[in-house]
Amino acid sequence: MNHSSTLKPSSQYHHPSLIPLPLSLSSSSKRHRFRVSFPRCSSSSSVPLPLSKDLTGIENVVDKLSPPLRLATSAVVIAGAVAAGFSLGSKFGGSRNAAVGGAVALGAAGGAAAYALNAAAPQVAAVNLHNFVAALDHPSMLKNEDIVGIANRYGVKKEDEVFKAEICDIYREFVSSVLPPAGEDLKGDEADRIISFKNSLGIDDPDAADMHIEVGRKIFRLRLEVGDREADIEQRRAFQKLIFVSYLVFGEASSFLLPWKRIFQFTDSQVKVAIRDNAQRLYASKLKSVGRDIDVEQLVTLREAQRLYRLSDQLAESLFKEHTVKLIAENISVALDILKSRTRVLPGVTQVVEELDKILAFNNLLTSLKNHADVGHFARGVGPVSLLGGQYDGGRRIGDLKLLYRAYVTDALAGGRIEDNKLAALTQLRNVFGMGKREAEEITIDVTSKVYRKHLSKAFSGGELEKAGSKAAFLQNLCDELHFDPQKACKIHEEIYRQKLQHLMADGELSEAAAAALLRLRVMLCIPQDTVETAHSDICGSLFGEVVMEAIASGVDGYDAEIKKSVRKAAHGLQLTREVALSIASKAVRKMFITYIKRARAAENSMESAKELKKLIAFNTLVVTKLVKDIKGESDDVSTEELENEGVTKTEDEEWDSLPTLRKTNPDKELLKKMGKPGQTEITLKDDLPKRDRTDLYQTYLLYCLNGDVTEIPFGFQITKKKNDSEYILLNQLGGILGLSGKDIVDVHRSVAEKAFKQQAEVILADGQLTKAKVEQLNNLQKEVGLPEEYAHKVVKSITTTKMAAAIETAVTQGRLNIKQIRELKEAGVDLNNMVSKNMRELLFKKTVGDIFSSGTGEFDEEEVYENIPSDLNISTEKSRVVVQQLAQTRLSNSLIQAVAQLRQKNRSGVVSSLNDMLACDKAIPSPPLSWELPEELADLYTIFLKSNPTSQKLTRMQFLLGIHDSTADALREMGDRLINTAVEEEFAF
């Protein structure tokens, strides 16, 4: 059908006298069917529109008339009606007025008919537009000129309400048809199609926006009508699609053209979510077409799609990276299936590597595209891929990645060396897998270690290593080919050596042939001497340690010839150095020593503790000493000289030889011979216990030697059994076991002697007095305990000083000690700093100053108070000055009050004394004139002070302090005798 024929009539119908043929579209529109469906939740709710609309009544007439002809017809109808009315009025009325009336009546009826004819034109145009669109193969074929042609044909404008409403309805139905059902996703071209159709219709944005709102209302009504939750969710998604498409159609203007919030109570955040979610879905659907062969054109297209969908760069980047991760995850899944297949064969490993190479190639492509000059026009997120933070990060999945990485490392080392490109590929694969550097290194080292061992074994067994001129160079070259750390290689060499040593030590003895084999292995692998010694110490030492533990466990009565033989065989057969063997034995022995020490500390009393220490000494003598000799390979026979030199700790300070307890620890030859073999002193507890603990243990046994053994007998009595000098030999051996030096031992003996001397000296000097008889007693006591004179004097001085200090403190507290006596004590050599506390000295200073302010002399010597007295008492001069000023300020006012009180009591000497005290306080801290409520009493005070014949300087200062004016003072001086003889004498008559 020629649609242009329906838009414009032919020229033969332009003549107003001719009636055109009908140009209706209704007859032909029945052959073209265009179905428009509303957005729906399911296909069952589809509502088809009528295919065409029919014209009724006058609309058929208007449809057949062109605008000029319709106007001419209207004129003819009106004219004919007027003429007919005039004729009928003349005929039936018989007068001219009747004829005019008839003309007017029929003319009005004809005008109404003409108006109705013209008023139906917009509706006819709207119906023809509807039928025209229905006749098209697709509504997008509708052009703006088609609409203008239909409007011009019927003489209407696009702005006419009826015609415009039809255009809006066509746009609304088109929008509804373009939006996919709720269960389907957007295709991405909906906004472009709607915009193109809107432009074809020539509809304004506000009118178009109203139609979008109408579509939304229909969807909203469907949401209210549905009864199940799933249907409601589908309609909500359909509404979100409408919001997103509308946002693309109107852009930023949609915020005020489409009031979703006001009409549908859809918040701004919900609008943003709808736009974001649909944009993400569309962009994700675009990404499905992107494969591992992505190119520049695809990236540019993706960037354009992102902008079209108004998707943020952050979300676009995240979606792109997720897509690339999915692509490499496919390769990973294939590789894992091959790797974990039970029927896997060697070519399967090659396939695994091929899949990993595909991942690396894809990653390299993305890396190169990231560095492209036009990367700003590419999709966001282009760059290296990483599985870190994804589904393969953590748990079992990271274990799968480690398996793949191990397979790639194994393949890279299959040829016996690793190329540089493989190293770069491993680094890149580690980054793609998101593995830590340490994890990757552990796998690489593990695989490389096995390969290194394999090649090393081949070179060793084939003689290649032995033929090498430089073993170190050969091994270094092997490490370089495998890119293996030489330090790790050394660890492998050490493990090989240890394994060989353990194999050769299977029978518990290292033969000469085995030693030679180990030496050859050490030379071939370039193993350092310290590494060899450590290996022997650990492996041979563990075997030797078992023998030592068996010997120690035998106890003091079980160290027999068989134990002795096993120790000597192990020490020699394992080829341990004497130092290493002794070190191993030392660890076990010291643990046993600590056990005895713990028992001694846990004993109920010092006597039981000493007995446990005695067991320790016996264990050292009967077991440990034999063990040490057997390790050294020494004979059991000991000469007298050895008895004198071994096992006895001697002091170098002859000053302490006077201590009897110390002297007894160095016995004569006969006692040594009687005691037998001394204990060893090479294994001690010097580094296992603090010095304080070791000296306390030594002192415990020393007191046991001094006090003897106490035995409990019935009825609560005790019997003390004195010890002989042999106990001191054991004490000396205990000092060796504890690792005490000669000075440490001397300090313990001196401390015990000093405590004994001090205890008895305090009884002698209980009263703190040192008489000639007491001195003789102390001298005898000193000789008895053997304490040197110097230390005895210190003890005596300490006791007397303490007693004297207590007496001085008591005297200061009771106020029986003054500064004069303090100076006498200092001249006698008494150290007041140690005898009198600082608080007491400050209290004494305050009391001394108070005595000066209450002496009644009126004198105050600043040098004496501020310098001499603080110096004698050794207190701070600054602090003492503050104390003096505070005391003077207080005493000044108190002295005035006391003077007035003496005045009222008629005590003239007391008045003068109080006023002098006031002058002394004023010298310490100058005071302003004092005030008193009875000025006449101040005058009486001045008169009495005047009568005491003071110096002029004192009298002047007293006048100032009492606030006496010069005239008053002169008058008081002139009438002084009379005043005294009359008033004062009477007042002070006793």
Side-chain angles (χ1 to χ4, degrees):
M1 182 182 67
N2 186 4
H3 299 289
S4 60
S5 63
T6 65
L7 301 178
K8 295 186 293 184
S10 60
S11 58
Q12 61 179 326
Y13 302 127
H14 290 179
H15 197 279
S17 62
L18 299 177
I19 299 176
L21 294 174
L23 295 176
S24 172
L25 295 173
S26 60
S27 61
S28 61
S29 63
K30 294 181 182 180
R31 296 192 303 269
H32 302 279
R33 305 177 69 86
F34 175 62
R35 181 183 297 274
V36 181
S37 300
F38 291 94
R40 57 194 181 277
C41 300
S42 61
S43 58
S44 61
S45 61
S46 175
V47 181
L49 292 176
L51 298 179
S52 62
K53 293 182 179 180
D54 295 330
L55 298 175
T56 59
I58 195 172
E59 295 177 352
N60 288 317
V61 177
V62 174
D63 181 58
K64 294 179 174 61
L65 298 175
S66 64
L69 186 59
R70 188 172 66 249
L71 293 175
T73 303
S74 299
V76 170
V77 170
I78 295 173
V82 172
F86 186 83
S87 174
L88 291 174
S90 299
K91 181 178 180 180
F92 292 103
S95 65
R96 183 175 179 80
N97 291 334
V100 172
V104 171
L106 289 181
Y115 176 78
L117 185 67
N118 288 305
Q123 178 63 27
V124 174
V127 172
N128 276 275
L129 176 61
H130 175 86
N131 293 336
F132 180 78
V133 173
L136 295 176
D137 294 334
H138 196 276
S140 60
M141 298 174 61
L142 180 65
K143 304 297 180 183
N144 187 41
E145 51 268 23
D146 297 336
I147 299 174
V148 173
I150 293 175
N152 292 337
R153 175 185 173 188
Y154 295 101
V156 299
K157 296 182 179 180
K158 291 178 63 176
E159 291 76 13
D160 285 346
E161 183 177 354
V162 177
F163 193 72
K164 180 179 178 180
E166 182 62 31
I167 295 175
C168 291
D169 288 342
I170 293 172
Y171 177 77
R172 173 173 54 81
E173 299 302 335
F174 181 80
V175 171
S176 298
S177 66
V178 168
L179 292 176
E184 298 180 8
D185 292 332
L186 294 171
K187 297 180 179 179
D189 61 342
E190 290 84 359
D192 291 338
R193 291 168 59 190
I194 292 174
I195 292 173
S196 177
F197 190 70
K198 179 170 72 71
N199 294 335
S200 298
L201 293 179
I203 188 173
D204 295 334
D205 284 350
D207 295 332
D210 291 339
M211 296 301 101
H212 283 254
I213 295 296
E214 290 299 323
V215 174
R217 284 194 175 98
K218 184 171 292 186
I219 297 174
F220 197 75
R221 284 195 299 271
L222 289 175
R223 283 192 61 194
L224 297 178
E225 293 172 1
V226 296
D228 59 299
R229 180 181 178 83
E230 293 183 0
D232 179 74
I233 293 176
E234 290 183 0
Q235 294 300 331
R236 185 179 185 85
R237 290 176 180 174
F239 195 80
Q240 290 178 336
K241 295 174 189 176
L242 172 64
I243 292 175
F244 173 68
V245 173
S246 302
Y247 176 75
L248 296 182
V249 171
F250 299 105
E252 298 298 331
S254 60
S255 58
F256 57 86
L257 289 176
L258 301 169
W260 307 112
K261 182 177 181 180
R262 178 173 57 83
I263 298 176
F264 302 102
Q265 302 300 317
F266 220 65
T267 64
D268 294 338
S269 60
Q270 289 175 315
V271 171
K272 290 180 181 179
V273 169
I275 295 173
R276 182 198 64 194
D277 292 349
N278 284 278
Q280 283 181 292
R281 292 191 189 97
L282 282 176
Y283 193 73
S285 65
K286 281 285 185 181
L287 287 173
K288 291 180 180 179
S289 61
V290 176
R292 296 176 185 83
D293 57 348
I294 187 171
D295 55 18
V296 173
E297 183 178 354
Q298 287 179 309
L299 292 176
V300 173
T301 303
L302 285 174
R303 178 60 174 169
E304 293 174 352
Q306 176 201 341
R307 291 173 175 172
L308 174 64
Y309 304 149
R310 311 292 176 87
L311 186 65
S312 67
D313 289 349
Q314 183 178 3
L315 292 175
E317 180 177 350
S318 177
L319 290 172
F320 187 88
K321 289 184 176 181
E322 288 178 3
H323 180 69
T324 55
V325 168
K326 288 180 181 178
L327 291 177
I328 66 173
E330 295 174 0
N331 297 108
I332 291 175
S333 299
V334 173
L336 286 174
D337 291 340
I338 298 172
L339 192 63
K340 294 182 178 181
S341 175
R342 295 184 178 181
T343 61
R344 178 171 61 87
V345 293
L346 185 60
V349 178
T350 305
Q351 295 175 3
V352 171
V353 174
E354 289 177 357
E355 292 296 327
L356 296 179
D357 284 334
K358 292 178 183 179
I359 294 175
L360 296 176
F362 180 54
N363 191 64
N364 288 330
L365 175 61
L366 292 176
T367 303
S368 63
L369 289 172
K370 181 181 180 181
N371 299 324
H372 196 278
D374 297 331
V375 68
H377 301 288
F378 293 171
R380 295 295 179 259
V382 176
V385 187
S386 177
L387 296 175
L388 184 65
Q391 59 176 337
Y392 286 95
D393 187 9
R396 183 179 61 85
R397 308 307 297 271
I398 189 65
D400 293 340
L401 296 180
K402 289 181 179 180
L403 289 176
L404 295 176
Y405 189 82
R406 180 181 292 274
Y408 201 87
V409 175
T410 304
D411 181 76
L413 291 169
R417 58 178 301 151
I418 185 169
E419 304 296 338
D420 292 339
N421 61 335
K422 287 294 184 180
L423 284 175
L426 284 171
T427 302
Q428 185 179 356
L429 187 63
R430 185 196 75 197
N431 295 333
V432 171
F433 285 172
M435 295 172 57
K437 188 175 181 180
R438 177 179 295 181
E439 294 175 322
E441 284 182 353
E442 289 177 355
I443 297 173
T444 303
I445 290 173
D446 183 48
V447 176
T448 310
S449 298
K450 294 177 180 178
V451 176
Y452 181 81
R453 282 178 178 269
K454 180 179 178 181
H455 285 268
L456 186 63
S457 176
K458 182 179 179 181
F460 192 86
S461 60
E464 186 179 359
L465 179 58
E466 188 172 7
K467 294 177 183 178
S470 173
K471 309 295 188 297
F474 182 88
L475 296 174
Q476 182 63 47
N477 182 58
L478 181 59
C479 291
D480 293 340
E481 289 181 350
L482 297 175
H483 288 271
F484 192 47
D485 185 5
Q487 296 296 330
K488 302 294 183 182
C490 291
K491 292 292 184 182
I492 293 177
H493 299 166
E494 182 180 353
E495 292 177 7
I496 295 174
Y497 187 87
R498 284 176 174 269
Q499 292 173 357
K500 185 69 173 178
L501 179 60
Q502 286 179 340
H503 175 71
L504 295 175
M505 290 294 300
D507 57 351
E509 188 176 1
L510 189 64
S511 63
E512 296 296 334
L518 288 173
L519 178 60
R520 177 174 177 268
L521 181 63
R522 172 194 167 190
V523 173
M524 298 283 282
L525 299 180
C526 302
I527 302 176
Q529 178 63 29
D530 57 347
T531 303
V532 172
E533 292 179 356
T534 303
H536 280 263
S537 176
D538 293 342
I539 298 172
C540 299
S542 62
L543 296 176
F544 183 71
E546 294 177 0
V547 176
V548 171
M549 290 301 298
E550 183 180 357
I552 292 174
S554 64
V556 295
D557 299 326
Y559 199 93
D560 52 15
E562 185 178 352
I563 296 294
K564 175 184 180 70
K565 181 180 178 181
S566 64
V567 171
R568 288 180 176 264
K569 178 183 177 182
H572 176 72
L574 295 175
Q575 296 188 4
L576 292 171
T577 62
R578 178 177 296 182
E579 292 75 13
V580 172
L582 285 176
S583 175
I584 295 171
S586 175
K587 293 179 182 178
V589 169
R590 284 186 284 111
K591 288 182 180 179
M592 199 65 186
F593 283 171
I594 293 296
T595 302
Y596 281 104
I597 295 298
K598 290 180 179 179
R599 292 176 184 173
R601 287 177 173 175
E604 296 179 357
N605 50 54
S606 60
M607 190 63 61
E608 295 297 327
S609 179
K611 291 179 179 180
E612 291 295 333
L613 293 176
K614 193 171 185 178
K615 294 178 182 179
L616 168 63
I617 298 169
F619 172 76
N620 179 65
T621 304
L622 300 176
V623 178
V624 181
T625 302
K626 293 179 180 180
L627 177 66
V628 172
K629 287 183 177 296
D630 291 335
I631 292 174
K632 292 181 177 181
E634 297 177 351
S635 173
D636 292 337
D637 298 332
V638 182
S639 63
T640 305
E641 289 76 11
E642 291 175 330
L643 287 175
E644 294 177 0
N645 297 327
E646 293 185 9
V648 178
T649 303
K650 297 182 179 180
T651 61
E652 299 178 356
D653 195 347
E654 296 180 357
E655 180 184 358
W656 297 99
D657 289 343
S658 59
L659 289 170
T661 56
L662 185 60
R663 189 169 56 251
K664 290 178 181 180
T665 59
N666 296 319
D668 53 17
K669 297 180 180 180
E670 294 182 1
L671 183 57
L672 281 174
K673 188 175 181 180
K674 181 180 178 181
M675 290 291 297
K677 301 176 183 179
Q680 63 83 31
T681 55
E682 294 188 41
I683 302 176
T684 68
L685 295 173
K686 181 179 180 180
D687 298 327
D688 297 274
L689 293 175
K691 180 180 177 181
R692 177 64 180 274
D693 294 346
R694 291 183 284 126
T695 55
D696 288 346
L697 292 169
Y698 185 88
Q699 181 175 309
T700 299
Y701 201 82
L702 174 58
L703 295 175
Y704 173 74
C705 296
L706 289 171
N707 299 329
D709 194 358
V710 178
T711 304
E712 298 284 345
I713 62 175
F715 305 106
F717 294 101
Q718 294 180 342
I719 298 176
T720 302
K721 181 181 178 182
K722 288 291 182 180
K723 295 293 181 182
N724 54 33
D725 292 344
S726 62
E727 293 293 343
Y728 289 96
I729 299 297
L730 300 180
L731 176 64
N732 190 296
Q733 293 180 13
L734 178 62
I737 296 172
L738 295 174
L740 295 174
S741 64
K743 183 180 180 302
D744 297 335
I745 292 175
V746 168
D747 288 341
V748 175
H749 284 267
R750 190 264 307 163
S751 175
V752 171
E754 187 174 344
K755 289 179 181 178
F757 179 81
K758 184 177 181 180
Q759 185 177 6
Q760 298 184 44
E762 286 180 344
V763 176
I764 297 173
L765 300 173
D767 57 355
Q769 301 296 324
L770 191 61
T771 62
K772 183 178 180 181
K774 292 181 180 180
V775 170
E776 291 179 357
Q777 282 183 282
L778 291 173
N779 289 337
N780 294 332
L781 178 62
Q782 174 205 343
K783 293 176 182 180
E784 181 181 348
V785 299
L787 189 65
E789 184 177 353
E790 177 186 355
Y791 284 86
H793 287 173
K794 287 183 179 178
V795 172
V796 173
K797 185 178 180 180
S798 174
I799 295 173
T800 55
T801 301
T802 302
K803 300 290 185 181
M804 187 181 297
I808 292 175
E809 290 274 359
T810 303
V812 172
T813 305
Q814 296 177 356
R816 294 184 287 103
L817 193 66
N818 54 33
I819 191 61
K820 181 179 180 181
Q821 294 169 325
I822 289 294
R823 287 169 177 167
E824 291 176 354
L825 290 173
K826 290 189 66 176
E827 292 175 359
V830 177
D831 188 2
L832 290 177
N833 294 337
N834 296 327
M835 290 189 177
V836 183
S837 64
K838 183 179 179 181
N839 291 335
M840 280 294 179
R841 284 182 272 124
E842 291 177 350
L843 181 62
L844 181 58
F845 174 78
K846 188 173 183 180
K847 181 179 180 301
T848 302
V849 175
D851 292 341
I852 292 173
F853 287 149
S854 61
S855 62
T857 61
E859 299 298 331
F860 180 82
D861 189 350
E862 292 187 359
E863 182 179 359
E864 174 73 9
V865 175
Y866 290 142
E867 297 180 9
N868 297 338
I869 299 178
S871 177
D872 292 335
L873 295 175
N874 193 22
I875 61 177
S876 171
T877 55
E878 291 78 7
K879 189 174 182 180
S880 61
R881 183 179 292 272
V882 174
V883 171
V884 171
Q885 292 177 354
Q886 291 177 350
L887 191 59
Q889 189 173 6
T890 304
R891 289 292 185 92
L892 184 66
S893 57
N894 292 340
S895 297
L896 177 60
I897 296 172
Q898 189 173 4
V900 173
Q902 296 293 342
L903 176 66
R904 293 174 180 176
Q905 296 175 9
K906 303 177 182 179
N907 185 354
R908 179 181 295 183
S909 60
V911 171
V912 175
S913 178
S914 297
L915 293 176
N916 280 328
D917 291 341
M918 190 169 64
L919 288 174
C921 295
D922 180 65
K923 288 182 180 180
I925 177 170
S927 171
L930 302 175
S931 60
W932 191 254
E933 57 184 0
L934 299 176
E936 59 273 13
E937 288 185 338
L938 296 179
D940 291 342
L941 293 176
Y942 179 77
T943 302
I944 294 174
F945 188 76
L946 177 64
K947 187 64 177 176
S948 65
N949 298 321
T951 62
S952 59
Q953 184 179 2
K954 288 186 177 182
L955 185 61
T956 302
R957 189 61 186 172
M958 182 57 67
Q959 176 186 341
F960 173 77
L961 291 175
L962 297 177
I964 305 298
H965 295 287
D966 292 341
S967 58
T968 304
D970 293 340
L972 292 174
R973 279 195 294 269
E974 290 177 359
M975 54 187 304
D977 292 338
R978 183 175 59 82
L979 183 62
I980 294 299
N981 293 330
T982 58
V984 180
E985 289 292 344
E986 291 178 2
E987 185 178 356
F988 285 87
F990 294 96

